[in-house]
Amino acid sequence: MTATVAEDSGVEAQGPDEDGAPVPRVPVVRVYRFELVKLVSQWRIRLLVLACWIVPALFVAAVSRQSTLPVDTLFGRWMHATGWAGALVTLGFAGTWALPLLTSVVAGDVFASEDRLGTWRHLLVAVRSPRRIFAAKALAGLTVLLLLVAGLVASSSAGGAVAVGDQPLVGLDGHLLTPGDAAAKVLLAWACVLAPTLALAAVGLLGSITLGRSPMGLLLPALVALAMQLAQMMPLPVAVRLALPSYAFIAWNGLFTGPAQLGPLLIGIAVSLLWALTATVSAHLLFMRRDFTDTAHDGPGRGAVTAGLLPLAGLAAVTALTVGAATGATGSGIEQDKVQRSAATAFAHLYRLQTRQLNRPAVTEAQLKVTADCDKGSVKVAAEGPGNDWRCVVSWHLPGVDAVGTAVYQLDITPDGRYMADGDGPKEVNGYFLVRTPTGDAPNPLWQFDGNVDLLASSKG
């Protein structure tokens, strides 16, 4: 039995058998099953599967029982109150570290392993179609990644439910989500990060093909993710920020505000899917052009790497221009009016929560008429952009009371719009982290709280 690969990427080999009869190509489904078995038979893949299905539950259960919570992590301060907070803390960690590393181990090695073992010729003779080999390997890698993500979701949710329980969740604007709403939004948030995970997986396929045996192919998704995370930490224009698929790893925050901040999230998902498509097409074209008869082949070379990365760089530039033109977004997207609206809304919701804790007469947001007056640094500094020097004075009214209540908060706003408000008095409102309730001491929801500024919202709201 012989097999050749035509130089034209559109022609696939199909040689005769010993009797001269044409040999049909192996169906993609059979090749996919074969590649999937090869992946899951690797000890590191099995170890990752076990880790993703066990470790998050242990982590969430252990942290939820500690007296000190990870308050610097989004939703970390609520891990004592509801089990759903643990799944969101895990999601934040996964988007930053776990998912990029998982895509590196799975997608970054799916083609390079054949180069190391020198099995391309045997595989091609058996399958007789480079295009089907590419599709099967890509689908097998995707299946394993979905299995790993499913483990992270199920394990972290189960750990929180067992350790804390199915309780309401406080959103990023202070409103209370019922357990059913919290569960639905947690699952939706995890589904949203599949898009940037696919983008990194496609980059991993591209690196695995272009870099061959080089360990850089295995590390490429993690390095690209790290570079984009560093970019997200910089004060970039909002259009550039949204043009990177890494923003979809944090844009799920907008699901937990009322109304949901869907604009940045949908843009992040669309950008991620475009990156996934572009990188996959580039990887496929490079794979179809390679010479499988060269046993010393170690990737197409630096020129191919450049050819594979240039489309992604061009896509980022075009996307940034398109987002800027379509949304009219300029600057950082963090402006005084937006910060004031967000802080006032969150305070109003959390004040009602504190009122219920203290068993005081119920009051509505309309009755409170909460306003916030925020500035940054001093009057000489423009009140816009990220920084830890934001200061807000929140005012509210109580029915039947002439005096206006005020509270001071110091805000630390990150470039992606997330902020933490730290209470600075009066102590009766936000000066202490516990409040005395009829059933005992409880966390003070107004002491510190997290919020999110919609980078695409109109500054005049």
Side-chain angles (χ1 to χ4, degrees), residues 285-301:
L285 293 177
L286 291 172
F287 181 74
M288 295 300 294
R289 293 174 183 172
R290 71 166 290 169
D291 181 10
F292 292 93
T293 62
D294 184 6
T295 57
H297 182 83
D298 195 21

Side-chain angles (χ1 to χ4, degrees), residues 286 300-308:
L286 291 172
R302 295 182 179 179
V305 175
T306 303

Side-chain angles (χ1 to χ4, degrees), residues 72-95:
D72 56 339
T73 304
L74 201 60
F75 292 101
R77 68 182 71 254
W78 301 111
M79 290 185 70
H80 280 166
T82 174
W84 297 113
L88 294 175
V89 170
T90 304
L91 175 57
F93 173 80

Side-chain angles (χ1 to χ4, degrees), residues 1-3 12-16 23-25 123-130:
M1 184 186 303
T2 61
E12 298 178 350
Q14 184 174 357
V23 178
R25 289 186 293 267
L123 184 61
L124 188 62
V125 168
V127 179
R128 315 188 71 80
S129 171

